[in-house]
Every structure is written in C-alpha cells, then in structure tokens.
Amino acid sequence: MPATPVDPASGSVYPIGLRLAGKRVVVVGGGQVAHRRVAGLLDAHAVVTVVSPELTPALEALVEPGSVTWARRPWAGGDLADAWYAVAATDDPEVNEAVADEAEARRIFCARADDRSRSSVWTPAVGRVGDVVVSVHGGGDPQRAVGIRDAVLVGLTDGTVADTVSRPRDGRGSVVLVGGGPGDPGLVTVRGRQALATADVVLADHLAPQSLLASLPPHVEVVDASKLPRGRSMAQEQINALLVEHALAGKRVVRLKGGDPFVFGRGYEELEACAAAGVPVEVVPGVTSAIGVPGLAGVPVTHRGMTHEFVVVSGHVPPDHPSSLVDWAALGRLRGTLVVLMGVETAPAIAAALVEHGRAADTPVAVVVDGAGPAQRLFRTTLAGLGATIAAEGVRPPAVWVVGDVVGLGA
C-alpha cells in the first residue's frame, strides 16, 4: 500500500545515519536530481544501480569506470529486489509513485524527489568536514536546511564552532603542512582552514595569509618562521625541530606556508623530519603562486592554440651560478610559457640567458608584484626590456614573472 502522506513541516522525522557501504541501492531517473543523489551514495560506498533510458553526461561518466551500474531502460516492477534503499527521481510522477509503492511493499525506505509528503524518508542537507558529517532536516523548507548546514560547516571550518575533541585518542600530536595560497585568505583551501581551526601551534611564513592568524583563538601559539629574501630568516633546521618538538608534546601543529608546500616551499624536508621522528604528517596542497598570481592578474599560463606546455622555474640563483640546477639552454628553446618564481634580482641574467639560447628578445613578459594582495601591480614588458622595467618600477619581492605569448592576452 502507498506510504501515508506526512506534512514535511510537521517535523515528524527520526534522524539516523544509514551505513550503506557494500549494500545495493537503486536510483530511478537519470537527471540532475538523480546525479546529486548518486554522488552522495557513492560517498557512502553504496553499490548503486541507476535505472533510466538516458543519463546526464556527469552520471554517464560514473558508469564508464564502473562506479555505477546503468540499467539502460525504463523502470520496471521488480527493480528493487535485494535493495536496501531506493530513490525515485524521474520527471514522471506516476513512475515515482510506482517506485515508492514497490519500496513500501518490500519494506525498503524510499526517497521520492517530487513529493516529500509521500516519501518514506526525507533527504537532509548534508555536508562534510573531515570525518564529521553534518546533516540538517529543515521541515518543509529545504533551503532553510541548506542555510543552517552551511552555517555549521563554515563555523567548523573557521573555528567559530570549535571541534576541540578531535585529537587522536592516543594523545599523540601531529603536523599538517598547509599551503596557504598566494596571500589572499579567501584562496586557502577548506581543508587548510579546518586544520587551522583545530591547531594548538602554528608556524607561519611571511608569505602565508597573515589575516588568518588574527582569527586564531588566544590559546594558539603562533611562531614566526619567516624567510625574508636576502634578510632575516629562521633556519630550516630550527623549523623542523620545532615541528617535531611540539608534535611530540602532544600538540596539533600547523605549518602554514605561502603557495603550495611542495612548490619551492621545502615542505618535503619538513615532512621527512617529522617522519623520521615518528610524527604523523598530513599535506594540504595550496594554490601555487606560479599559477594563481598570473591568473589573478589576467594572464593564463596556457591558452588553446597558443601553448601546450608551461614550465615553473626557481630564479633564486642566476644561470651561471655553480649551484644552479636549471637547464637554461633547454628553456630557451621552448615555445610555451615560462613562469619564474624568486627571480627579481636575477631577472636580467635570466632574460639574457633565454635570449642567448633562442628565445626572441621581443617575447612578451608580465611581472606581477604583490600578487593576490591589495597592492598588486602588473607590468608588461619584453625579455629585452625586463631588467630596465624592474629597475624603473622599483620591483621588489614577492613577484612572479611570466614569459610567453599568453602575456599578450587581455593586454
């Protein structure tokens, strides 16, 4: 018999978390609603079968690697055999009702997307923060549930809703290497914010988003681990030792770096030091300034029909320096985009080497200073004029410069 209609605004719901890993779930329908439901079911490691004559491209992409089984036909009675859960998400109310009726007869809970009042289960607004699942039922107003869910997720992410008991049960500390992005706090990843929200100690570089430090609770110890170009800096060995020391004391330690930890950030050295001491380490990638800074200035590092490669290179030593590991002759022969980090003082020598080895002297160059910050500046020049432009404009680090035809886009 059909499910008894229930007013969604009544609040008559018993909230539970279904453990569907390895269990068969049937989704009837192949549109956008079905796609959203399938995505959540796959996160729960359910064994999903979709019944529909057609699928959205995104759903069909899940069929190719075998994540989803596709019954390429209309719904038929008996499709819910051996299922633990069902979703009726077609555009035809009669089909949805037939699915819900069969589910009711088989004592299978069924989410009916088109009529909540006749659905035996109401799908909540769901979000995840690490291993925490936030599930909100908003009565008869799904948008209200979404708003409350998002507010809780933001709070867990930025620390205003404190998750103070997520420390490992054995009392051990840990280290998270967080790439803070090119400087704008809005460009740090969600996972990076989550790590900061539960930190006891933060070792921060001067290129990391500094405003994130201001939002930390008073009990969090902040250590200045800056490395100023040609100036004062904390030795890498001391940084490694502090990470290990605090973690072994049972603290949750975040190493907050600019850009990405593994793009000229010495992050792997820190990982090795922690691993050698038996300290658990997590790596949170960041938006590297090699791509993010040019992009924010309107310079893409690739463009269809213009370049098929881009190379990121450190310019902290000039081409003729005995410690340089860069094959400048090979880079001079490339046709694509070259992005140079840490190359302000060495820019004239690098430009000369590129021209010497085949790059045209009039190749466009863009210099982006203080990228992602309120004082961001962009200068366009050429390889031949790069040194003069840097001198005339008083360019100082941090700066990223880009060589290639892509610089002319949007000029």
Side-chain angles (χ1 to χ4, degrees), residues 92-367:
D92 187 337
E94 292 185 3
V95 172
N96 291 340
E97 185 172 357
V99 174
D101 288 348
E102 179 172 331
E104 190 78 8
R106 292 179 179 270
R107 298 187 178 183
I108 298 170
F109 281 104
C110 176
R112 182 172 172 178
D114 65 332
D115 189 346
R116 288 167 56 84
S117 69
R118 294 183 177 275
S119 181
S120 61
V121 59
W122 294 338
T123 304
V126 177
R128 299 175 187 270
V129 180
D131 58 354
V132 174
V133 179
V134 177
S135 175
V136 180
H137 289 276
D141 188 351
Q143 292 304 315
R144 180 186 180 199
V146 169
I148 295 172
R149 175 206 63 189
D150 289 347
V152 174
L153 292 178
V154 169
L156 287 171
T157 299
D158 63 18
T160 53
V161 176
D163 177 12
T164 59
V165 295
S166 60
R167 190 184 306 274
R169 294 181 181 180
D170 58 9
R172 291 194 305 163
S174 60
V175 171
V176 185
L177 306 179
V178 175
D184 183 340
L187 297 177
V188 71
T189 64
V190 172
R191 180 67 193 104
R193 281 189 173 270
Q194 291 166 3
L196 283 168
T198 59
D200 299 312
V201 180
V202 177
L203 278 76
D205 284 350
H206 71 288
L207 292 178
Q210 298 300 300
S211 60
L212 292 179
L213 303 178
S215 65
L216 296 174
H219 73 272
V220 178
E221 179 182 354
V222 178
V223 179
D224 184 355
S226 299
K227 294 178 180 292
L228 302 181
R230 308 294 191 269
R232 291 187 302 157
S233 64
M234 178 180 287
Q236 186 63 51
E237 294 73 17
Q238 184 179 359
I239 294 174
N240 295 348
L242 285 171
L243 293 173
V244 170
E245 175 187 335
H246 286 298
L248 291 180
K251 302 293 184 64
R252 288 171 290 194
V253 185
V254 168
R255 175 71 171 106
L256 182 61
K257 309 167 78 71
D260 182 275
F262 287 176
V263 180
F264 304 131
R266 304 187 71 171
Y268 201 78
E269 296 177 44
E270 295 164 356
L271 184 150
E272 288 181 314
C274 293
V279 172
V281 185
E282 177 186 353
V283 178
V284 179
V287 177
T288 173
S289 58
I291 300 173
V293 166
L296 289 169
V299 179
V301 295
T302 66
H303 186 66
R304 186 168 65 91
M306 183 174 289
T307 177
H308 288 174
E309 83 273 348
F310 71 94
V311 177
V312 181
V313 62
S314 169
H316 74 286
V317 294
D320 59 355
H321 196 282
S323 66
S324 175
L325 301 176
V326 180
D327 188 343
W328 292 105
L331 294 183
R333 294 191 298 269
L334 290 180
R335 298 174 58 188
T337 305
L338 179 66
V339 181
V340 181
L341 306 181
M342 301 179 289
V344 173
E345 293 186 10
T346 57
I350 293 174
L354 292 173
V355 172
E356 177 187 353
H357 294 294
R359 204 76 189 237
D362 61 353
T363 302
V365 177
V367 182

